Amino acid sequence: MIRIAPLKEEHLYNIWQIGYSQPLPQWKKWDGPYFEDYQMFPDFEAFRMSGLYTFFFKDNVWGIFIDQEPIGIVTRHWEDEKTRWLEIGIVIYDQNYWNGGYGTKTLELWIDQIFKTTDKLEHIGLTTWSGNHRMMRAAEKVGMTKEAHIRKVRYWQGHYYDSVKYGILREEWVEQKKKSSS
């Protein structure tokens, strides 16, 4: 069973193993690969001493769990808190859980959690790139609308890719939930 929840210290060893113990893990090839921001940690102690370690304990980062094991994270951040413009993200580190509907289910859980706990929020956005077909498909499956398609603004490995923005309004989410429960 898939669920999302805040991460605890005991989960971080698994996160390090599946996400940050390899030179260039598969997940990074899909998670904005044009950003040169990945850092490998050769051992757990190096990971624990890094600034990245504390990132996982912020309230805008939750774990994705299958049973009790973490397989990835969901995030949220303010593009502009003053205007209530919120963006979300998802990373499934463990590729054994790719292509099985886990990303779609996780997005549903995360969007639902955010709308339930953030009263004055009317829109949730998600930005990806045109090379990440699985993320685009998951966004569409949960009912997000493609709101922007900015052509050839992500250059990576000799090719241009598009930035693709999705979003969903609270009223659309509520209506969708009503339809799916009846």
Side-chain angles (χ1 to χ4, degrees):
M1 180 173 119
I2 193 162
R3 68 182 178 86
I4 58 171
L7 288 161
K8 296 179 181 170
E9 186 120 19
E10 62 262 24
H11 302 132
L12 271 287
Y13 184 82
N14 286 17
I15 291 292
W16 166 73
Q17 274 191 315
I18 62 177
Y20 296 92
S21 65
Q22 304 159 25
L24 185 59
Q26 285 295 312
W27 70 266
K28 186 56 188 160
K29 294 177 182 177
W30 304 104
D31 182 51
Y34 36 80
F35 293 128
E36 301 291 331
D37 60 351
Y38 176 74
Q39 184 176 356
M40 181 196 118
F41 298 94
D43 56 58
F44 181 67
E45 185 61 20
F47 177 67
R48 199 175 69 73
M49 300 308 289
S50 74
L52 181 61
Y53 190 81
T54 58
F55 164 79
F56 293 101
F57 297 112
K58 295 181 178 181
D59 67 350
N60 63 330
V61 177
W62 280 24
I64 305 167
F65 296 87
I66 299 291
D67 300 318
Q68 301 303 315
E69 296 298 315
I71 64 163
I73 60 169
V74 288
T75 61
R76 65 176 179 239
H77 73 274
W78 292 107
E79 281 291 322
D80 186 340
E81 189 170 5
K82 183 178 173 186
T83 64
R84 301 179 184 155
W85 180 357
L86 186 93
E87 289 269 314
I88 60 173
I90 174 176
V91 178
I92 296 179
Y93 298 119
D94 188 337
Q95 63 189 11
N96 293 316
Y97 296 99
W98 294 357
N99 299 316
Y102 296 100
T104 301
K105 182 61 179 167
T106 298
L107 278 178
E108 287 176 5
L109 294 170
W110 193 223
I111 291 168
D112 208 41
Q113 172 67 24
I114 293 168
F115 275 139
K116 283 180 181 175
T117 59
T118 314
D119 291 337
K120 296 181 180 179
L121 184 66
E122 290 299 320
H123 177 274
I124 294 175
L126 179 148
T127 302
T128 191
W129 62 294
S130 60
N132 194 339
H133 301 286
R134 287 188 302 262
M135 183 60 73
M136 292 188 298
R137 194 174 70 203
E140 291 165 3
K141 281 175 142 180
V142 300
M144 297 183 101
T145 299
K146 186 190 292 184
E147 297 175 330
H149 194 119
I150 303 105
R151 298 174 297 161
K152 294 188 175 186
V153 294
R154 297 296 186 195
Y155 187 76
W156 183 59
Q157 292 188 339
H159 299 283
Y160 281 100
Y161 294 92
D162 305 339
S163 181
V164 186
K165 292 184 165 289
Y166 290 89
I168 192 159
L169 301 176
R170 179 184 293 275
E171 62 214 40
E172 294 167 340
W173 187 252
V174 169
E175 185 60 31
Q176 188 174 294
K177 296 296 277 182
K178 282 182 190 174
K179 285 180 182 175
S180 66
S181 65
S182 51

